[in-house]
């Protein structure tokens, strides 16, 4: 395993995870790898959680400020949250333990657009980064660091941190070297990203660091802690079916090219079902400029339906993780992994004219979307990259099942209880009931289209009743609302456990 560390300077820093974790003290800011479980530190973060537990056992405070790429892993967010050792967290969380801490008010959470984090950290908006902990597949003789299945904000952590810890994980195929593309420039005002096609390469394949800052190199051999997807259900298949029909219709009328613009696809069950539908659909030579690369896209690369993918991270099932390690030579030719300020860059998304497909928690009748807060106040995950893509895409699509929690919640409500995506950033809305094409519709027309096509029949009469009364008792006729009633559905759920009357 030592063979993965070719640089003699850095080989001399090899040590155990406990020694590395001992470099971190209470109150420090950590910049860590991790974008989904891919690339998150494992051994050092577990050792750090152990340190926190011991300190707490002695009655001493111990917590860190944690910055990552996006969500991370049970070995980072999970282990530290269990010990209540995260005082501040940015920019995304998908871990249930940490979600509990945030919703209990114990961890301060800054939910931010993923493309914004690195340039803002470099600008000094969030203070200094004390320690970087990143995962590598190898360290070359020239000191170049080969990343693993995500890059996240690692370039910025390596540039900004005073101390650097590298976990070299020999579980990953060495053939991954060459897949990454690391942009050495900036994405602040005055700079331009020279990407014109999804597979353009604009940087180096390795990360660089001042070797004097590297205080520990820890050897590991461990797969990412991936979760398996749920079986695709009928609802997800129906959503995918409505979308495919829409794309066939748009290409037939010449509004979209036959190969479709570059696709961005969010995470989860519905997104995977959409990719499965593309696998069987009529479109060929597809490309993706996306954030997360899931099983479905890899299947299309293998079948030849998809030609090229640019992404920030792999987020795959346990089975796919094994397959892709064996398949790395092939995948490397078709995939460009980028740091997230490039993979999610709105400038590039606008230039390429992407189709953004993201999942939501709820939408209102006018097309505003809540992706993050249940009943307005409980965070689920975070905005992630959905805003980076939705605002700048040629077409922005939001999808969800029409009801949640066994039908006690309607995903279509009079007014969203929290807004992540304003109606101007939502052109197409899809549920298993159908698809609403909102392009060119006024607010009142959007409301009719969303209720007719997307709402569940159980909730349609209630929504129509709300809209009709709002239109007749209106204060304003553009976007009619009954202000005293607009959030009453959420209030009723909180009080009774159901939005139904
Ligand atoms: O709760 O876990 O308690 O059962 O939300 O919902 O249906 O399992 O769907 O996993 O696809 O997540 C929007 C959260 C959907 C996700 C969201 C409850 C539901 C369940 C999860 P349980 P599902 P998914 C780029 C794109 C924002 C980031 C983003 C997300 C849980 O897609 O985080 O788009 N998106 N990134 O029961 C109350 C409702 C609900 C509801 C769902 N209306 N009311 N609860 N739930 N709808 C990728 C990245 O940035 C990484």
């Amino acid at each position: 395993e030592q063979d993965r560390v070719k640089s003699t300077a850095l080989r001399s820093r090899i040590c155990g995870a406990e020694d590395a974790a001992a470099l971190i003290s209470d109150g420090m800011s950590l910049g860590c790898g991790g974008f989904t479980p891919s690339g998150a530190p494992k051994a050092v973060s577990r050792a750090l959680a152990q340190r926190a537990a011991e300190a707490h056992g002695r009655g001493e405070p111990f917590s860190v400020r944690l910055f990552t790429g996006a969500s991370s892993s049970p070995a980072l967010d999970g282990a530290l949250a269990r010990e209540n050792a995260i005082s501040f967290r940015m920019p995304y969380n998908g871990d249930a333990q940490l979600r509990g801490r945030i919703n209990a008010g114990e961890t301060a959470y800054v939910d931010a657009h993923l493309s914004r984090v690195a340039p803002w950290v470099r600008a000094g908006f969030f203070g200094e980064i004390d320690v970087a902990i990143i995962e590598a597949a190898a360290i070359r003789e020239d000191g170049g660091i080969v990343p693993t299945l995500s890059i996240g904000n690692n370039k910025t952590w390596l540039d900004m941190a005073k101390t650097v810890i590298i976990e070299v994980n020999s579980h990953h195929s060495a053939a991954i070297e060459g897949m990454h593309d690391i942009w050495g420039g900036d994405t602040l005002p005055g700079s331009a990203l020279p990407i014109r096609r999804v597979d353009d390469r604009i940087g180096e394949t390795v990360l660089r660091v001042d070797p004097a800052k590297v205080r520990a190199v820890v050897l590991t051999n461990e797969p990412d802690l991936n979760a398996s997807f749920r079986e695709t259900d009928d609802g997800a298949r129906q959503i995918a079916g409505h979308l495919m029909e829409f794309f066939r219709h748009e290409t037939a009328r010449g509004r979209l090219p036959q190969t479709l613009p570059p696709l961005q696809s969010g995470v989860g069950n519905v997104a995977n079902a959409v990719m499965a539908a593309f696998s069987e659909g009529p479109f060929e030579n597809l490309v993706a400029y996306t954030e997360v690369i899931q099983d479905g896209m890899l299947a299309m690369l293998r079948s030849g339906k998809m030609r090229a993918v640019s992404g920030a991270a792999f987020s795959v099932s346990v089975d796919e993780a094994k397959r892709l390690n064996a398949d790395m030579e092939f995948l490397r030719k078709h995939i460009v992994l980028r740091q997230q300020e490039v993979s999610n860059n709105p400038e590039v998304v606008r230039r390429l004219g992407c189709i953004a497909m993201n999942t939501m928690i709820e939408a209102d009748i006018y097309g505003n979307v809540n992706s993050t807060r249940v009943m307005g106040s409980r965070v689920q995950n975070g905005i992630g990259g959905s805003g980076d893509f939705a605002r700048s895409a040629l077409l922005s699509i939001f999808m969800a099942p029409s009801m949640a929690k066994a039908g006690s919640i309607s995903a279509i409500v009079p007014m969203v209880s929290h807004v992540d995506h304003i109606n101007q950033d939502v052109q197409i809305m899809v549920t298993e009931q159908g698809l609403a094409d909102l392009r060119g519709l006024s607010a009142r027309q959007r409301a009719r289209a969303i209720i007719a096509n997307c709402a569940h029949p159980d909730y349609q009469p209630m929504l129509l009743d709300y809209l009709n009364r709002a239109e007749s008792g209106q204060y304003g006729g553009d976007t009619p609302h009954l202000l005293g009633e607009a959030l009453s559905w959420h209030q009723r759920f909180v009080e009774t456990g159901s939005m139904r009357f």
Side-chain angles (χ1 to χ4, degrees):
E1 292 177 359
Q2 283 212 11
D3 294 351
R4 294 284 184 116
V5 187
K6 298 263 194 281
S7 149
T8 36
L10 295 187
R11 221 178 226 205
S12 65
R13 313 283 154 73
I14 293 176
C15 65
E18 291 72 23
D19 296 330
L23 296 167
I24 298 161
S25 43
D26 178 43
M28 279 188 168
S29 291
L30 310 185
C32 291
F35 195 116
T36 79
S38 297
K42 300 166 179 69
V44 178
S45 51
R46 285 199 194 99
L48 182 64
Q50 183 60 34
R51 250 170 80 75
E54 286 161 12
H56 294 164
R58 293 190 300 270
E60 295 165 11
F62 194 104
S63 62
V64 292
R65 291 163 54 81
L66 180 60
F67 298 75
T68 59
S71 57
S72 76
S73 108
L76 178 60
D77 276 321
L80 289 172
R82 202 164 35 249
E83 305 305 333
N84 205 359
I86 305 177
S87 60
F88 170 97
R89 183 73 174 90
M90 184 174 170
Y92 186 87
N93 170 60
D95 183 87
Q97 293 261 359
L98 182 55
R99 182 180 302 133
R101 296 286 183 200
I102 295 167
N103 283 322
E106 294 170 320
T107 298
Y109 179 45
V110 175
D111 170 13
H113 294 304
L114 298 186
S115 73
R116 289 286 209 182
V117 181
W120 279 352
V121 167
R122 287 199 300 274
F125 289 5
F126 314 115
E128 297 190 333
I129 300 294
D130 298 295
V131 180
I133 316 175
I134 68 152
E135 191 187 64
I139 303 177
R140 297 195 320 201
E141 213 165 304
D142 66 355
I145 298 166
V146 180
T148 58
L149 295 176
S150 75
I151 303 171
N153 291 314
N154 286 355
K155 181 182 184 303
T156 299
W157 308 146
L158 291 174
D159 289 347
M160 301 293 291
K162 290 173 248 174
T163 296
V164 170
I165 299 170
I166 307 174
E167 287 190 10
V168 178
N169 186 351
S170 50
H171 173 80
H172 298 288
S173 164
I176 198 170
E177 183 175 352
M179 181 182 279
H180 309 94
D181 185 59
I182 292 142
W183 165 241
D186 217 325
T187 53
L188 286 174
S191 60
L193 279 171
I195 296 177
R196 307 209 155 264
R197 287 188 310 263
V198 302
D199 49 355
D200 278 347
R201 287 183 170 273
I202 61 170
E204 278 207 276
T205 59
V206 288
L207 290 159
R208 301 283 173 187
V209 65
D210 171 2
K213 295 202 296 188
V214 182
R215 303 268 306 278
V217 174
V218 176
L219 304 178
T220 65
N221 185 341
E222 191 182 332
D224 291 315
L225 293 159
N226 294 304
S228 280
F229 298 118
R230 287 192 309 254
E231 279 295 303
T232 300
D233 56 30
D234 287 345
R237 260 192 291 273
Q238 283 159 358
I239 291 174
H242 298 313
L243 257 183
M244 294 309 291
E245 194 182 312
F246 168 76
F247 287 132
R248 272 196 287 268
H249 185 264
E250 289 299 295
T251 50
R253 272 157 193 71
R255 284 194 287 260
L256 291 176
Q258 198 56 43
T259 52
L260 295 182
L263 304 174
Q264 177 259 331
S265 164
V267 280
N269 184 31
V270 172
N272 236 16
V274 169
M275 285 301 125
F278 271 114
S279 283
E280 290 150 23
F283 307 105
E284 305 287 340
N285 268 317
L286 294 167
V287 294
Y289 198 81
T290 192
E291 176 181 290
V292 170
I293 306 171
Q294 290 190 280
D295 294 31
M297 276 190 191
L298 297 177
M300 282 200 279
L301 282 176
R302 292 192 184 100
S303 71
K305 276 262 171 194
M306 192 163 255
R307 179 165 68 68
V309 175
S310 159
F314 288 86
S315 175
V316 294
S317 65
V318 178
D319 288 345
E320 178 59 58
K322 292 179 194 146
R323 227 174 3 244
L324 81 88
N325 226 359
D327 236 7
M328 202 55 87
E329 293 278 357
F330 167 79
L331 294 175
R332 200 182 60 217
K333 298 192 182 94
H334 298 277
I335 296 174
V336 186
L337 269 193
R338 308 182 190 277
Q339 69 249 59
Q340 65 200 67
E341 65 187 297
V342 180
S343 66
N344 285 23
N345 197 283
E347 169 196 351
V348 180
V349 174
R350 181 69 68 97
R351 183 181 302 136
L352 297 178
C354 294
I355 294 181
M357 298 180 281
N358 291 294
T359 315
M360 61 193 185
I361 284 177
E362 63 178 3
D364 66 29
I365 52 176
Y366 297 114
N368 300 292
V369 164
N370 169 11
S371 300
T372 60
R373 303 299 187 286
V374 172
M375 303 303 138
S377 45
R378 254 187 224 168
V379 74
Q380 182 66 26
N381 299 319
I383 195 164
S386 56
D388 291 326
F389 285 93
R391 165 79 36 106
S392 302
L394 174 70
L395 262 183
S396 169
I397 299 167
F398 278 90
M399 10 185 218
S402 66
M403 299 193 300
K405 302 288 177 204
S408 58
I409 293 175
S410 173
I412 309 297
V413 290
M415 183 183 271
V416 279
S417 58
H418 171 93
V419 192
D420 293 288
H421 305 288
I422 58 172
N423 65 76
Q424 288 86 345
D425 295 340
V426 183
Q427 283 86 48
I428 307 291
M429 190 169 292
V430 198
T431 68
E432 81 290 348
Q433 298 299 320
L435 180 146
D437 182 350
L438 308 175
R439 291 173 296 176
L441 301 189
S442 70
R444 288 165 75 158
Q445 291 168 328
R446 282 200 297 272
R448 298 280 163 194
I450 291 171
I451 296 171
N453 295 301
C454 299
H456 192 277
D458 287 7
Y459 286 99
Q460 258 169 350
M462 285 167 66
L463 289 164
L464 278 174
D465 171 59
Y466 175 88
L467 180 60
N468 290 335
R469 285 184 296 115
E471 281 181 335
S472 58
Q474 53 179 285
Y475 172 76
D478 176 70
T479 309
H481 265 305
L482 301 168
L483 292 176
E485 218 181 284
L487 294 172
S488 64
W489 294 33
H490 300 84
Q491 183 63 27
R492 192 157 51 243
F493 175 82
V494 170
E495 285 167 6
T496 70
S498 176
M499 284 184 172
R500 294 172 199 267
F501 284 124

